[in-house]
Amino acid sequence: MSEIILRNVGKTYDGHTYAVKGVNLDIKDKEFVILVGPSGCGKSTTLRMIAGLEDISDGEMWVDGELNNYLDPQQRGLSMVFQSYALYPNMNVYDNLAFSLKIRGIAKDQIDKRVRQVAELLQITDFLKRYPAALSGGQRQRVAIGSAIMRKPKAFLMDEPLSNLDAKLRAQMRVELQKLHRALGTTIIYVTHDQTEAMTLGTLIVVMRHGVVQQADKPTVVYDHPANIFVGGFIGQYSMNFINATVRQEEGRTVLVFEKEDGRTDRGEVEVPGERGALLKERYNNQRVILGIRPEHIYDRADAERLGFASMSRGISETVTAREMLGAEVMLYFMRQGVKQSARMRPDNSTKVGESIDLFYDPSQIHVFDRETEASVFAELDARDDAAKAADDAQKEEVGA
Amino acid sequence: MSDAQSAAKAVSEARADKGAAPIKDNPPRKSGIAPYLYLVPSFVIFAVFLFYPFFKTIWLSLYKTNKLGQAKIFYGIGNYVDLFMSDWFRNSMVVTLVFVVIVVVGAMALGLITAVLCNKAFPGLRVFSTAYALPMAIASSSAAMIFQIMLHPSVGIVNKLLGLDINWLNDPKTALWCVALVTAWLNSGINFLYFSAGLGNIDETIYERASVDGANSWQQFVHLTLPGLSPIMFYTLVVNIIQAFQSFGQIKILTEGGPGEATNVIVYAIYRDAFFNYKFGAASAESVILFIIVMIITLIMFRIEKRGVRY
Amino acid sequence: MTNPVQGLTVNDPVAPASVVLHLNNATEEQLKALKETMRQKAVARRRARLTGRVLINILVALVVLLPLLYCLSVAFMPSGELFTTEMNLLPKHPTFENFVAAFRNIPLLRFIINSFVVSAVITIGQVLTCSLAAFAFSFLNFKGKNVLFMVVMATMMVPGEATIISNYLTVGGWGMLNTYVALIVPYLTSAMGIFLFRQFYMSFPMSLYEAAKLDGCSDLRFIWSILLPLTKGAIGAMSVYTFINAWNMYMWPLLVTGTDDMRTVQIGIAMLDSVDSQSITLMLAGVVMVIVPSILIFIFGQKQLIRGLFSGAVKG
């Protein structure tokens, strides 16, 4: 049972610039927490502060209610897997696995039993006598993970453990890690720059940028209701499209009108219905905002009509500049406001490069961001909806159990 | 990228632009004597002052010579037999062995301690690093003269600091130790450099992992640092042994092989036999024996290394 | 039933009570107070560790440098001061008279010049012969290249003692004893130097050499104008190492020099070695003057030396 709470945690090396600032996290037991973000966003630094390898400059870290700031790494009861695996080069695989138990004076036969258990689990029994130098990258990685699970720590820390593997191996190991997490029943705090890893593995996604947490929530929430432009653009298999738009009223409906650009005569607008439309009218009428829409939520006329929102987008007509046939889908690329944008279509879409196509946005998937703060305008509504859904799910689980 | 590499890269690219075929990293087969000419200066010196004397020494060892070093009477392995039968030479071999052991252990221990002390940054690290490496710049004869005074029974600082009255260099029980410790001091400098390089080669992250795993500083030293030095340890050991066998200056100045035969290492015996007794044949035989001993030890070390080091 | 995947629960020592503060029952002031004491403790601990390290280093360094410091101290002592029963680590009336006397009693200046000439020529000679040989081994291809290189490496195994007698007889046979030639020529090349330069050259891409050739550059010109300027690091390292070793040579100069005008510095100051009070301070003054050049060269060339000697060893 482990609950880890970070309260206003920050890190500075010189008292002026902060590598990490104001991190607040409440990690319940058995969570798979992912710290994700681009290089230099502070995710590894945060992990190292949790491990005790870096001092915590500001704030506190509470583990099961106890203040951990001033404990040495040895005293924190954690396990860590490093990006470079950090296998002890002078010990064979067996000794590498046994190390953390051996230095605690655990009985030899107990250690032996546990080593063989772990080796069996990670399929490294054949290498027990080998030395790290004689192992492949994937094998070393499994030894590193094996070493970490020898004990039952309060939490597992993993610093980009899959980064050094090739794509295929990485995909395989992702599945293995998922299974491992379920079997281990222990909190995992995991750092990666790969949003796919984050979304597939995590139960709690913490998106970081420039040392600050942008959003920390379940994967579905981070995907459906990104808190700001950065999260919207970072998370998701395909980059979100961002368009400068103005809020206008038309025949009693709130619409977002795409801003003109040189050489384009079309207006392009999409209606925002219901509560969200009302909010836009109230707070942002006639003001410029940033519209966000994911490529997978852009449809052609046929689909839009079938799904019932064809009438809500008007005049969004684009000339295809590039086209990628990806088997299960087709990606169309076009330019708007000087930026490359994309739309995901069904595989039978036959629009060719140079042709123009009418596009339709799913109004329930339109994101609007404030131009200055870059924050999502609908944040409160989203939060309310997410809470309601969570309560719903909890109820369903109870009933079903 | 170094200057050389960026220069070469620019050249390669220029050539590629011109449509030239990619250059392989194999130098073109050259015939002719030009390559050998570049080796001539070095090899001439090697030939005259290394190969030739090496064989001449072996040849001389089979003869009895006159005072000018000319071989006079063929004696076969007689010189060798004489040596192995003689008490003084057998004593010399024992003395040499003991000497080498003390020197190697002492020099490596001191080098290891100083290297570990300088492993983590602290104010003044540079100054201390220089100090610990300094002995390698001191001539063996100069060091010997300093220690001669330090070990002086009445005015020497050693007796004064320890409050003793021992005649260090004239007492057969202590003379060898003194000479060996002086040599260890001399050799500790290069060991400091070797071990520092070895320590620098150890990947830092394994210490972080060991911390999270629960190992304290001592456990980290024993399980990570010491084994981490094993690659450099072997090489350092070999170099130290070879150097110890060749120590001469300090013995000549401090004890001249005495008192009695207490510090008569083989090198000194060679010097004495050749330049005081004019027995060049015997001295040559001693040289050959010394060479063989060093060879055997080196080969044994290589054999052990093949089985031992795992990196 | 225990989950087979879950690790062993180990009983790690519980954190000391003073650190245990529960999130639930801690007030802001308690928290602040605790953090402050813990922070101060951590800072104090770190400072103690650092001070400890510095102190041990000072101690060990004093032990290591004791011979040199003592030598310096005695060199400045007037000869009378030496023979007392009390502890005399430092001179009470430091004086330069020993140094002056050293120059008077023996031709110290001549010795220094001899050593300097011999060491400098040996150094330059080794740099030239070794870089030429290494050039051939790295950039050129010829029959028996590997065998010849093995031979060079093998010479490193041969201890000086195996050859010194024969060399003495050889040089004597030429009638060249007691000359600069005898002191210098046997040491004009070294296997270690060839090895060092070759390591360095191996890190250069072959295209550097080939491009020069295509431009019509002769081999010698290539070595002189392109290769040598790029190997400043190795040349620096080797020069420092070779000069110091040549300056410190003892056995060979002992054998081949017989008169004052040829003696090198290490042999020369041994002439000051006798055990009466006058000469001890004199002798150590001489020693000081002899080791100062090598120490200075070492200190200034240290970085170069270490980088050059270990560039092969460090990057795996």
Side-chain angles (χ1 to χ4, degrees):
Chain A
M1 265 303 300
S2 263
E3 183 179 2
I4 300 178
I5 297 180
L6 296 181
R7 212 170 72 154
N8 209 27
V9 165
K11 175 74 187 175
T12 175
Y13 292 101
D14 57 9
H16 301 296
T17 36
Y18 277 76
V20 174
K21 203 167 165 79
V23 172
N24 285 294
L25 288 179
D26 191 346
I27 302 172
K28 305 273 181 236
D29 194 26
K30 302 202 213 305
E31 289 259 34
F32 199 137
V33 182
I34 314 253
L35 305 177
V36 66
S39 280
C41 68
K43 53 194 193 292
S44 280
T45 311
T46 308
L47 191 75
R48 287 167 65 86
M49 282 196 279
I50 297 175
L53 297 171
E54 302 268 0
D55 287 335
I56 299 177
S57 313
D58 286 341
E60 305 105 45
M61 173 179 153
W62 301 89
V63 176
D64 293 334
E66 284 168 19
L67 185 68
N68 260 25
N69 287 34
Y70 304 103
L71 294 183
D72 286 333
Q74 289 88 332
Q75 299 170 299
R76 296 194 185 197
L78 303 168
S79 267
M80 187 157 171
V81 178
F82 289 82
Q83 184 175 4
S84 65
Y85 314 138
L87 298 186
Y88 302 125
N90 49 291
M91 299 183 207
N92 61 19
V93 169
Y94 185 100
D95 292 325
N96 259 282
L97 295 172
F99 186 72
S100 62
L101 295 182
K102 186 170 124 182
I103 54 173
R104 287 174 166 83
I106 309 266
K108 262 211 185 120
D109 51 333
Q110 263 194 305
I111 297 183
D112 188 77
K113 206 171 82 165
R114 182 67 194 142
V115 168
R116 300 203 180 273
Q117 242 182 353
V118 169
E120 176 83 42
L121 182 72
L122 290 168
Q123 294 164 1
I124 48 179
T125 318
D126 291 335
F127 315 133
L128 283 177
K129 288 283 176 229
R130 278 207 221 165
Y131 282 80
L135 299 174
S136 74
Q139 292 162 345
R140 282 185 215 178
Q141 200 244 14
R142 273 179 283 158
V143 175
I145 293 182
S147 307
I149 68 177
M150 288 294 292
R151 291 175 288 142
K152 184 166 168 52
K154 296 192 183 149
F156 291 101
L157 309 179
M158 301 195 184
D159 191 353
E160 307 213 40
L162 305 186
S163 298
N164 294 347
L165 302 176
D166 63 68
K168 187 159 159 222
L169 205 48
R170 220 182 303 157
Q172 268 182 304
M173 284 310 299
R174 274 208 305 266
V175 176
E176 293 298 323
L177 279 175
Q178 258 185 328
K179 286 200 271 183
L180 201 63
H181 175 237
R182 269 192 288 260
L184 287 173
T186 306
T187 309
I188 298 184
I189 306 178
Y190 186 105
V191 163
T192 179
H193 61 271
D194 181 350
Q195 66 92 36
T196 316
E197 255 171 54
M199 296 296 280
T200 49
L201 291 173
T203 60
L204 170 65
I205 314 284
V206 180
V207 182
M208 291 184 73
R209 183 192 191 208
H210 297 327
V212 177
V213 173
Q214 306 291 308
Q215 187 172 9
D217 217 317
K218 294 205 284 284
T220 44
V221 172
V222 172
Y223 177 83
D224 289 331
H225 300 140
N228 58 30
I229 290 184
F230 175 75
V231 177
F234 187 80
I235 298 289
Q237 190 180 8
Y238 304 109
S239 287
M240 185 183 279
N241 297 306
F242 295 108
I243 301 167
N244 292 312
T246 313
V247 179
R248 297 252 190 256
Q249 297 299 309
E250 243 172 59
E251 297 157 14
R253 291 169 305 174
T254 308
V255 290
L256 289 166
V257 179
F258 297 178
E259 296 198 341
K260 289 212 177 67
E261 46 189 305
D262 291 336
R264 302 282 296 256
T265 52
D266 59 336
R267 244 163 67 105
E269 60 180 50
V270 60
E271 180 188 328
V272 182
E275 272 188 311
R276 290 162 204 253
L279 192 138
L280 280 179
K281 174 174 168 187
E282 184 189 316
R283 298 221 198 127
Y284 287 90
N285 208 16
N286 295 321
Q287 287 175 44
R288 298 159 81 201
V289 292
I290 302 216
L291 183 161
I293 184 90
R294 294 194 186 276
E296 51 265 38
H297 298 141
I298 304 180
Y299 299 87
D300 58 15
R301 183 174 296 279
D303 278 333
E305 282 174 354
R306 185 170 52 84
L307 291 166
F309 48 72
S311 57
M312 303 186 82
S313 304
R314 274 186 296 282
I316 308 177
S317 168
E318 305 293 353
T319 310
V320 175
T321 56
R323 173 200 157 91
E324 274 176 354
M325 172 48 172
L326 295 171
E329 60 217 6
V330 167
M331 292 299 289
L332 296 179
Y333 296 90
F334 40 89
M335 296 297 284
R336 154 122 359 229
Q337 295 174 358
V339 176
K340 192 169 173 185
Q341 316 233 334
S342 57
R344 188 187 71 176
M345 297 290 153
R346 280 175 300 125
D348 60 5
N349 183 294
S350 58
T351 322
K352 293 199 264 292
V353 172
E355 282 181 5
S356 94
I357 177 174
D358 287 333
L359 296 177
F360 299 83
Y361 294 178
D362 181 344
S364 66
Q365 300 294 344
I366 290 179
H367 305 271
V368 181
F369 301 98
D370 184 297
R371 268 182 80 96
E372 262 118 55
T373 67
E374 296 192 0
S376 166
V377 159
F378 300 137
E380 286 150 13
L381 293 176
D382 290 337
R384 188 205 58 192
D385 289 343
D386 290 329
K389 184 164 186 297
D392 240 12
D393 288 338
Q395 233 188 12
K396 284 205 202 107
E397 267 185 42
E398 270 183 40
V399 172
Chain B
M1 217 192 268
S2 73
D3 289 326
Q5 283 169 316
S6 37
K9 186 166 184 282
V11 166
S12 287
E13 284 167 359
R15 292 195 83 248
D17 283 340
K18 288 199 201 133
I23 297 175
K24 289 210 182 123
D25 258 72
N26 244 325
R29 274 252 143 206
K30 244 190 146 160
S31 53
I33 58 164
Y36 299 101
L37 287 180
Y38 294 102
L39 299 180
V40 158
S42 283
F43 274 78
V44 162
I45 310 277
F46 281 137
V48 175
F49 294 102
L50 235 143
F51 304 143
Y52 167 70
F54 181 64
F55 291 109
K56 173 138 188 232
T57 303
I58 300 180
W59 181 76
L60 262 184
S61 72
L62 304 173
Y63 285 77
K64 284 198 173 199
T65 66
N66 66 7
K67 289 221 164 73
L68 295 174
Q70 291 164 331
K72 284 292 165 199
I73 312 168
F74 182 74
Y75 198 31
I77 57 167
N79 281 322
Y80 294 95
V81 173
D82 287 345
L83 287 171
F84 282 113
M85 301 280 272
S86 66
D87 284 335
W88 74 264
F89 187 72
R90 285 205 293 265
N91 171 67
S92 181
M93 292 213 286
V94 169
V95 166
T96 309
L97 218 66
V98 173
F99 175 76
V100 167
V101 167
I102 302 176
V103 168
V104 172
V105 169
M108 289 186 64
L110 187 55
L112 182 62
I113 292 173
T114 51
V116 169
L117 283 177
C118 284
N119 197 21
K120 289 209 189 89
F122 64 93
L125 179 71
R126 284 274 176 88
V127 174
F128 286 105
S129 293
T130 309
Y132 295 139
L134 210 48
M136 72 178 277
I138 313 290
S140 56
S141 49
S142 303
M145 289 196 263
I146 300 177
F147 275 92
Q148 194 180 36
I149 306 307
M150 281 176 69
L151 294 169
H152 193 280
S154 40
V155 295
I157 196 85
V158 172
N159 271 343
K160 288 200 181 152
L161 281 174
L162 295 176
L164 294 171
D165 198 12
I166 304 178
N167 198 338
W168 299 94
L169 292 171
N170 274 319
D171 184 345
K173 286 196 289 280
T174 54
L176 187 59
W177 278 90
C178 291
V179 180
L181 289 175
V182 171
T183 315
W185 181 85
L186 281 167
N187 293 349
S188 67
I190 192 87
N191 286 342
F192 167 75
L193 292 179
Y194 283 138
F195 286 133
S196 290
L199 286 175
N201 263 351
I202 299 178
D203 175 18
E204 279 302 306
T205 35
I206 61 174
Y207 288 105
E208 289 189 337
R209 177 184 156 204
S211 289
V212 179
D213 273 351
N216 61 30
S217 303
W218 175 250
Q219 285 168 323
Q220 289 180 18
F221 181 74
V222 169
H223 293 286
L224 267 49
T225 309
L226 284 186
L229 282 174
S230 62
I232 203 91
M233 186 78 75
F234 170 75
Y235 178 73
T236 310
L237 193 61
V238 172
V239 168
N240 268 271
I241 291 178
I242 295 182
Q243 236 179 332
F245 269 105
Q246 304 190 347
S247 317
F248 173 77
Q250 55 270 47
I251 297 176
K252 161 103 177 48
I253 290 184
L254 285 172
T255 57
E256 295 200 313
E261 296 282 302
T263 60
N264 190 23
V265 297
I266 299 183
V267 174
Y268 193 77
I270 295 174
Y271 170 71
R272 187 193 279 170
D273 258 349
F275 298 99
F276 285 110
N277 302 338
Y278 297 106
K279 292 164 69 180
F280 288 97
S284 300
E286 288 155 36
S287 299
V288 173
I289 294 176
L290 180 64
F291 171 69
I292 293 179
I293 295 179
V294 173
M295 272 286 109
I296 292 179
I297 294 185
T298 312
L299 284 173
I300 295 179
M301 305 250 31
F302 272 100
R303 201 49 73 74
I304 297 179
E305 191 228 5
K306 276 207 162 50
R307 257 187 263 139
V309 176
R310 295 167 212 297
Y311 272 66
Chain C
M1 196 191 86
T2 47
N3 185 333
V5 177
Q6 291 197 357
L8 296 179
T9 311
V10 290
N11 293 323
D12 283 339
V14 184
S18 59
V19 183
V20 174
L21 194 71
H22 264 262
L23 183 57
N24 307 319
N25 60 25
T27 62
E28 267 315 306
E29 298 87 51
Q30 271 183 315
L31 184 60
K32 240 200 202 146
L34 177 68
K35 279 174 82 174
E36 191 49 36
T37 41
M38 289 312 299
R39 193 187 61 84
Q40 281 172 352
K41 263 201 218 165
V43 167
R45 211 178 346 147
R46 213 160 290 169
R47 201 175 295 150
R49 270 195 223 143
L50 192 67
T51 325
R53 190 170 269 265
V54 175
L55 282 178
I56 294 186
N57 266 290
I58 292 182
L59 202 71
V60 174
L62 275 177
V63 169
V64 171
L65 291 180
L66 184 64
L68 302 176
L69 297 172
Y70 182 67
C71 175
L72 197 64
S73 166
V74 172
F76 280 100
M77 262 186 216
S79 54
E81 254 190 61
L82 194 59
F83 280 88
T84 68
T85 45
E86 43 184 58
M87 178 84 72
N88 51 347
L89 270 173
L90 291 172
K92 290 207 188 70
H93 303 106
T95 164
F96 276 103
E97 64 192 28
N98 294 313
F99 295 96
V100 175
F103 272 102
R104 235 187 294 126
N105 284 23
I106 54 169
L108 190 55
L109 192 61
R110 176 83 205 174
F111 296 154
I112 293 179
I113 293 177
N114 288 342
S115 274
F116 189 79
V117 168
V118 168
S119 304
V121 176
I122 287 181
T123 303
I124 297 175
Q126 280 201 15
V127 168
L128 285 176
T129 62
C130 294
S131 55
L132 283 177
F135 163 77
F137 282 124
S138 327
F139 289 99
L140 304 178
N141 219 344
F142 49 92
K143 202 159 162 204
K145 174 161 106 162
N146 289 326
V147 172
L148 285 174
F149 189 69
M150 288 277 114
V151 167
V152 169
M153 291 296 103
T155 64
M156 290 211 271
M157 293 267 138
V158 177
E161 295 65 42
T163 56
I164 206 160
I165 300 179
S166 295
N167 281 336
Y168 172 79
L169 294 173
T170 307
V171 173
W174 295 340
M176 299 290 269
L177 282 176
N178 209 37
T179 62
Y180 275 159
V181 172
L183 286 168
I184 295 176
V185 173
Y187 294 97
L188 280 178
T189 191
S190 101
M192 206 199 95
I194 296 183
F195 183 70
L196 187 75
F197 277 115
R198 180 172 174 271
Q199 286 293 98
F200 224 78
Y201 291 163
M202 294 300 248
S203 71
F204 291 167
M206 183 59 72
S207 34
L208 183 72
Y209 172 63
E210 290 178 334
K213 291 229 70 162
L214 277 154
D215 283 339
C217 188
S218 73
D219 280 343
L220 279 176
R221 187 119 181 284
F222 168 71
I223 298 176
W224 185 254
S225 338
I226 301 182
L227 197 58
L228 283 186
L230 287 171
T231 27
K232 285 207 190 87
I235 294 180
M238 209 188 140
S239 304
V240 171
Y241 187 75
T242 308
F243 191 91
I244 292 180
N245 279 347
W247 183 267
N248 289 346
M249 269 202 297
Y250 183 76
M251 192 171 185
W252 179 247
L254 179 71
L255 297 181
V256 303
T257 60
T259 61
D260 278 356
D261 61 327
M262 269 295 130
R263 288 216 173 92
T264 59
V265 107
Q266 306 292 346
I267 316 295
I269 52 167
M271 287 164 59
L272 293 169
D273 186 356
S274 76
V275 218
D276 71 79
S277 71
Q278 220 90 20
S279 58
I280 290 184
T281 54
L282 200 61
M283 179 170 89
L284 289 190
V287 170
V288 167
M289 289 194 282
V290 162
I291 61 179
V292 159
S294 48
I295 290 183
L296 283 177
I297 293 182
F298 178 75
I299 292 180
F300 285 114
Q302 205 195 164
K303 213 164 35 147
Q304 286 273 41
L305 182 67
I306 295 175
R307 219 185 301 153
L309 286 179
F310 290 99
S311 60
V314 176
K315 280 293 167 191

